[in-house]
Amino acid sequence: MRYRPEHKQKTREKIVLHAGRLFRRLGYDGVGIDGIMAAANLTRGGFYGYFRSKRHLFAEVMRGEHDFNKRMKARRGTDRETLTSEALDVVAGYLDPANRKRVGQGCAMASLSVDIARAGPAVRAAYADKVRDLTTEFARGLDRPADPDPRALASLALCVGGLVLARGVADEDLSRAMLAACRAAVAEQLRPIKDR
């Protein structure tokens, strides 16, 4: 039986979706092709009809939309003040202590940074695109933004790095203090230059 082209595309998207979930939860080395295909209710034999390798699939996962990106792009503001306020709301949710456990479900940047650093050029290039994309989103509310803007780069680093560190420490008070400090530092980065 021949499948229509849209069936192949939907199956590919299904594999990417399940792979992304598993990679974020278990890490790149924590899951194999068998586990990915089983999660998608497909057989291992079909994998190579869609992807050359697990690493190729990993790059595809990184090219997709991620929760942090989606939330930053969903800001509806049209002026700097509103865009900045909306960005700070997104950051507050991202750096909320309750998000530490959920991040494995939605943010590849915080859950897979170490795996990505060890990955091949295609994965790292896809990750670089996400960094540029989020930096651009942070810069959208800044006055006199540069390209890339150091305030936007610092804000992104504070968000992702702060969440990675807060997830790793066993001390709850330290973790909460770190997230609060990162939220405050991002707010400082996004303040208008004239208010500094």
Side-chain angles (χ1 to χ4, degrees):
M1 173 163 105
R2 271 198 122 139
Y3 290 110
R4 301 176 88 181
E6 54 269 11
H7 173 79
K8 185 167 183 166
Q9 182 59 33
K10 284 184 190 261
T11 302
R12 181 182 174 84
E13 290 168 4
K14 183 177 176 182
I15 295 167
V16 171
L17 174 74
H18 287 282
R21 287 178 182 161
L22 290 169
F23 287 148
R24 287 187 300 273
R25 197 176 73 206
L26 304 171
Y28 178 79
D29 290 330
V31 64
I33 293 170
D34 289 338
I36 292 167
M37 295 302 278
N41 284 330
L42 298 165
T43 61
R44 178 190 171 93
F47 178 83
Y48 295 100
Y50 298 94
F51 303 98
R52 291 189 304 266
S53 66
K54 181 179 154 188
R55 194 160 303 278
H56 180 251
L57 172 59
F58 193 35
E60 194 66 28
V61 167
M62 285 313 304
R63 281 187 206 97
E65 278 297 321
H66 302 283
D67 192 53
F68 196 18
N69 300 66
K70 285 180 191 174
R71 291 176 189 270
M72 287 296 287
K73 286 181 177 180
R75 294 177 299 153
R76 297 188 180 275
T78 55
D79 60 89
R80 287 190 176 115
E81 187 176 302
T82 305
L83 283 166
T84 298
S85 175
E86 290 171 341
L88 291 173
D89 288 344
V90 172
V91 168
Y94 187 77
L95 293 176
D96 186 295
N99 193 42
R100 287 174 301 187
K101 291 184 177 129
R102 289 192 307 257
V103 76
Q105 299 167 4
C107 184
M109 296 189 87
S111 60
L112 292 170
S113 289
V114 173
D115 289 325
I116 292 162
R118 294 187 199 119
V123 174
R124 294 180 69 214
Y127 188 72
D129 288 343
K130 290 298 166 203
V131 168
R132 279 190 282 277
D133 196 28
L134 268 166
T135 302
T136 298
E137 281 304 314
F138 271 109
R140 230 174 14 118
L142 296 176
D143 55 336
R144 295 181 292 207
D147 185 27
D149 193 283
R151 297 165 293 172
L153 288 167
S155 296
L156 177 57
L158 285 160
C159 288
V160 175
L163 193 54
V164 168
L165 291 172
R167 289 179 76 208
V169 298
D171 182 323
E172 179 68 20
D173 292 336
L174 178 60
S175 179
R176 286 178 175 276
M178 191 174 312
L179 292 171
C182 288
R183 280 193 307 272
V186 170
E188 181 63 26
Q189 290 297 319
L190 299 183
R191 260 185 25 191
I193 292 171
K194 63 181 175 52
D195 294 344
R196 291 176 182 222

